[in-house]
Each structure stands twice: as structure tokens, then as C-alpha cells.
Amino acid sequence: MEHIISIMVSCMVILFTGIVYGAEVDKDTGLLIAEHWETVRNNCTECHSAKLVTAQRGDRKTWTDIIRWMQATQGLWDFDAETENQILQYLSSNYAPQARGRRGPIPLLLMPPNPYKDEAKK
Ligand code: HEC
């Protein structure tokens, strides 16, 4: 009995933290609900699923490049400066590059001696 209660309490805690800390997502598009998300929904889901947007990560430069590419080749319309700024702000803060799984390089001090270091001089 105690066991069941402790499992139930754990479930409630998990559920509760999910509600409090879980980012809210629009159920129709899957877009994170954050400042300017509606501008993105209105401009970025006409031709393709929002999943194409949410699957992508990038800084402001990457997102700008993607938009320029669609404008140049896929018939995406031009935005006024304010709209474009809102779109880029939303995308680069909510769909920013994520930390990669790769570890950083080993410090030189910890590396074994390089057996080829004189090769280049030959
Ligand atoms: C006028 C139509 C149109 C609109 C509007 C549009 N796109 Fe696209 N987008 C495309 C097409 C076409 C593709 C290529 C689809 C494919 O490869 O299947 C694409 C591809 C993409 C990709 C994938 C790029 C890649 O490298 O694979 C992303 C990300 C994207 N769009 C984001 C956006 C964002 C953000 C917006 C709003 C600013 C937007 N799209 C609005 C037409 C559009």
C-alpha cells in the first residue's frame, strides 16, 4: 500500500513539474508558444508543415539564410522589416542551435607526444 502511494506521489510530482516547466506548444502547428509565435504561424505554415520549421535549428544568420533561400527560389514573399525582425527573433531564440553531443578537444597538455611532428619539416 505504501508502495502504491509513493508511486502515485511520484507521478503527481512529475505531472506537476511538467505543467509548470514544460514549454507550451500550439497543438495545431507544434510551434512553441512564445513572443511573436503567431507571426511565424501566419507566415511560415502556408506552403509546408510547421514541422519543417520546428525540426530546424539555427542562429539568426542561419534563419535569415533559409528565408532568403525560400524568397529566391520557393516563392516566399518579402516581409516588411518589423515582421521579419519578429520572425527572426522568435526563430533564433526558440529554435537556436543546440549543444552538440561531441566532447570538446583534449587539452594539448594531456595529449601524448605527436610522433609525426618532425615529418612536416622534411
Ligand atoms: C511560399 C511558400 C513558403 C513559405 C510561405 C515558407 N516556406 Fe519554408 N519552404 C518552402 C519550400 C517549397 C521548401 C522546400 C520544401 C521541401 O524541401 O520539401 C521550404 C523549406 C523550408 C525549410 C527546410 C529547409 C531545409 O534546408 O531543408 C525550413 C526550415 C523552412 N522552409 C522554414 C520556413 C519559415 C521559417 C518560414 C516563414 C518565415 C517559411 N518556411 C515559409 C516554401 C515556403
Side-chain angles (χ1 to χ4, degrees):
M1 187 63 191
E2 240 174 81
H3 211 70
I4 293 172
I5 290 173
S6 77
I7 290 172
M8 279 171 62
V9 169
S10 311
C11 289
M12 281 159 65
V13 168
I14 291 167
L15 198 72
F16 185 68
T17 41
I19 291 166
V20 172
Y21 293 106
E24 242 196 296
V25 164
D26 172 49
K27 66 174 165 32
D28 293 327
T29 59
L31 288 168
L32 278 171
I33 296 179
E35 199 180 13
H36 306 316
W37 81 274
E38 283 147 314
T39 311
V40 170
R41 180 197 56 197
N42 296 346
N43 286 286
C44 304
T45 60
E46 188 106 337
C47 307
H48 52 66
S49 157
K51 289 210 179 75
L52 217 52
V53 180
T54 58
Q56 182 78 42
R57 292 288 178 281
D59 55 17
R60 202 177 165 98
K61 161 94 172 62
T62 305
W63 282 111
T64 307
D65 289 347
I66 293 171
I67 287 175
R68 292 289 173 268
W69 168 78
M70 282 181 291
Q71 285 170 334
T73 63
Q74 310 297 332
L76 175 59
W77 45 88
D78 287 342
F79 302 112
D80 62 80
E82 173 63 16
T83 306
E84 183 164 296
N85 188 42
Q86 289 184 359
I87 291 173
L88 288 172
Q89 204 181 308
Y90 172 88
L91 292 172
S92 60
S93 48
N94 294 292
Y95 297 95
Q98 288 169 326
R100 289 293 142 100
R102 290 187 61 122
R103 61 161 177 75
I106 294 173
L108 267 185
L109 261 177
L110 300 177
M111 290 291 278
N114 178 357
Y116 305 112
K117 79 173 187 300
D118 296 325
E119 290 281 300
K121 289 180 198 148
K122 284 181 191 158

